[in-house]
Amino acid sequence: MAGNSFGTLFRFTTWGESHGPAIGVVVDGCPSLLSLTEADIQPWLDKRRPGQSRYTTQRQEPDQIKILSGVFEGQTTGTPLSLMIENTDQRSKDYSEIAAKFRPGHADYTYWKKYGIRDYRGGGRSSARETACRVAAGAVARKVLGDGVTVRGALVQIGPHKVDRSRWDWAEVDNNPFFCPDPQAAAEWADYLDGIRKSGSSIGAVVEVVASGLPAGLGDPLYDKLDGDLARAMMTINAVKGVEIGNGFEAATLTGEQNADEMRAGPATEDGYGEPEFRSNLAGGILGGISTGQDVVVRFAVKPTSSILTPRQTVDLQGKDTDILTKGRHDPCVGIRAVPVGEAMMACVLADHLLRHRAYARG
Ligand SMILES: Cc1cc2nc3c(=O)[nH]c(=O)nc-3n(C[C@H](O)[C@H](O)[C@H](O)COP(=O)(O)O)c2cc1C
C-alpha cells in the first residue's frame, strides 16, 4: 500500500493501525535547531483526543506522544523525527458483530476489493485514528512556521445550522465543545446535537481553517499551487467531501465587480513602493497559486459519521443482503474532531511551502 507520505521538503510519513500496539509518524526535512519537546506537541493531540465531551466518542485514548529520534537537548537535529503514540483503548469486541459485513460509508468494501483483506477492528489504516499522527506532524510544522504565523480552525456549520459571522470571536473557540467561534450558535448546537446523539444518528459539518501572518509569495503558479496543495491536504482527511478556498463556490454567484479584491497602495516605504492593501479577501489569500500575504482561508465539508445505531442495508462477505447497525463508541459529528486535523494539515502545507519558498524566491 503506497501513499503514506505527504509533503515535499517538509515531508511526513505515518504508520500503524487503529488496533495495533502503536501508531506514529516520521517527519523528514525539519530544519535543525528548532526548540521541540513533547510538551510542544501534546496540547494539539489533547485538542483532537476523543472522550472530552458528550458530543465526541467516549473511547478513551490518552494519545501520549513520545519523541523517539531527531531531538537532542530540546532542539531538533535536522535528522528524521520519529514520533510515537501507543494505542491503549483497543476494544476489538465492539466490532465483532460486523466482521463479516461491509459498513456503508466506510472503506470496508473498497479495501477488501483492492487488497483482499478485511481489518474489521475499526478499519485498520482507514481509521481516523491515523489523524492523530497528522496532528503530531502539524505541531512540528508550527515550529517551522514560527510564532509569527497563526493557524486556527473553527467549526462554522453543523447540519443546516451556520454560525453568525458578525458574532465571530476566536476567543470563544476554546469555550465550548464544538470549537465554535459564535457562543450563541454553540448553545443552539448543543441542543441540536443532543437530539441527534440520543436518536443514535449523526450529522455533517463545515470546518474553516485560517492562517494569519504569512508572507506573500508561498506557492508556485502551476502544479504546485498553494491552493491546490491545501485542497489536496484537506481532501486526504477522513470523511472530507468538499473543499473551498476563500469564498469558494460562492464565487460562482458573483459578478467580476463583486468578486474583485480591490487594491490600494499602502504607506510608502524607503524605495517608494507601498505594500498594497487589499480591500477584501474573497480569494482566500491566494492569487495564481501564490500567497498574497493576507489570511489564507480554507473550508471543508465533513460528512456525517457513518457508524450509526439506525439499521442500514448492506451486503456481507458472501455477497448476501443483510442489515447493519454499528454498535461501539462513535462521534455524533466527526466534524468537531476534524478541526485540529484541518489545522495540522494546513500547518504542514504551509511549512512545506515556506521551505520551498526559501529555495526558489528572488534574492
Ligand atoms: C477525527 C475523525 C474521527 C472519525 N471518527 C469516526 C467514527 O468514530 N465513526 C465513523 O463512522 N467515522 C469516523 N470518521 C470518518 C471515517 O474515518 C471515514 O468516513 C471512513 O474512513 C471512510 O472514508 P471517507 O469518508 O473519507 O470516504 C472520523 C473522521 C475523522 C476526521
Side-chain angles (χ1 to χ4, degrees), residues 59 105-107 126 128 131 237-239 303 305-307 330-331 334 337-338:
R59 285 193 301 265
H106 279 278
S126 75
T131 60
I237 300 172
N238 310 49
K303 75 187 193 186
T305 319
S306 300
S307 297
H330 300 282
D331 297 79
V334 286
R337 292 181 55 225

Side-chain angles (χ1 to χ4, degrees), residues 1-335:
M1 183 189 298
N4 298 291
S5 303
F6 186 86
T8 303
L9 288 187
F10 183 88
R11 184 172 175 80
F12 68 84
T13 302
T14 71
W15 54 266
E17 284 90 39
S18 61
H19 285 70
I23 54 173
V25 56
V26 176
V27 182
D28 211 357
C30 179
S32 63
L33 302 180
L34 297 175
S35 74
L36 185 73
T37 66
E38 282 145 1
D40 292 313
I41 304 171
Q42 195 59 49
W44 303 109
L45 285 167
D46 291 346
K47 195 171 168 181
R48 179 205 160 276
R49 192 159 53 88
Q52 301 191 82
S53 79
R54 65 180 185 275
Y55 306 106
T56 58
T57 171
Q58 293 308 303
R59 285 193 301 265
Q60 291 301 326
E61 293 157 351
D63 286 355
Q64 205 67 45
I65 195 76
K66 272 190 198 155
I67 301 178
L68 302 183
S69 71
V71 172
F72 180 61
E73 294 182 335
Q75 287 190 311
T76 56
T77 57
T79 61
L81 280 160
S82 189
L83 312 174
M84 187 184 77
I85 302 163
E86 280 175 34
N87 289 329
T88 54
D89 188 23
Q90 322 149 19
R91 286 200 229 168
S92 301
K93 65 178 184 302
D94 279 344
Y95 300 95
S96 54
E97 281 175 30
I98 56 167
K101 300 177 182 179
F102 299 116
R103 296 168 302 167
H106 279 278
D108 299 350
Y109 171 69
T110 48
Y111 263 52
W112 179 78
K113 191 81 182 159
K114 185 175 176 80
Y115 302 110
I117 190 148
R118 174 82 210 279
D119 186 345
Y120 53 83
R121 308 160 308 162
R125 275 298 276 173
S126 75
S127 162
R129 178 99 190 97
E130 186 268 355
T131 60
C133 302
R134 301 166 184 239
V135 171
V140 180
R142 286 176 190 270
K143 286 282 176 172
V144 176
L145 292 170
D147 291 340
V149 176
T150 318
V151 179
R152 295 183 286 197
L155 206 66
V156 296
Q157 186 175 340
I158 286 190
H161 305 291
K162 296 182 181 179
V163 295
D164 179 338
R165 285 177 180 267
S166 69
R167 291 195 293 257
W168 189 295
D169 180 357
W170 279 112
E172 287 296 329
V173 165
D174 296 325
N175 288 341
N176 61 73
F178 309 110
F179 304 118
C180 177
D182 169 4
Q184 196 170 312
E188 288 158 13
W189 290 356
D191 288 341
Y192 176 69
L193 215 51
D194 271 335
I196 296 279
R197 188 174 54 86
K198 283 177 190 156
S199 65
S201 186
S202 65
I203 190 72
V206 178
V207 175
E208 182 164 320
V209 186
V210 180
S212 312
L214 286 171
L218 301 195
D220 292 291
L222 297 171
Y223 304 109
D224 291 338
K225 286 186 158 127
L226 184 59
D227 39 359
D229 283 355
L230 284 169
R232 176 167 182 270
M234 300 308 164
M235 281 304 290
T236 68
I237 300 172
N238 310 49
V240 172
K241 299 304 284 184
V243 183
E244 291 185 328
I245 310 286
N247 61 350
F249 275 74
E250 159 90 5
T253 68
L254 300 183
T255 62
E257 294 87 336
Q258 291 167 325
N259 201 53
D261 288 321
E262 292 185 282
M263 297 159 82
R264 279 279 171 253
T269 55
E270 273 175 16
D271 60 7
Y273 289 98
E275 286 290 323
E277 285 173 357
F278 291 88
R279 307 190 75 177
S280 57
N281 186 17
L282 299 177
I286 304 171
L287 291 172
I290 301 174
S291 66
T292 61
Q294 296 169 282
D295 284 358
V296 170
V297 183
V298 180
R299 256 182 316 283
F300 57 86
V302 186
K303 75 187 193 186
T305 319
S306 300
S307 297
I308 48 176
L309 289 170
T310 316
R312 299 283 87 190
Q313 295 180 350
T314 191
V315 293
D316 63 19
L317 285 168
Q318 279 71 45
K320 295 207 175 64
D321 287 346
T322 181
D323 284 354
I324 191 167
L325 69 86
T326 320
K327 290 184 193 150
R329 300 150 294 159
H330 300 282
D331 297 79
C333 175
V334 286

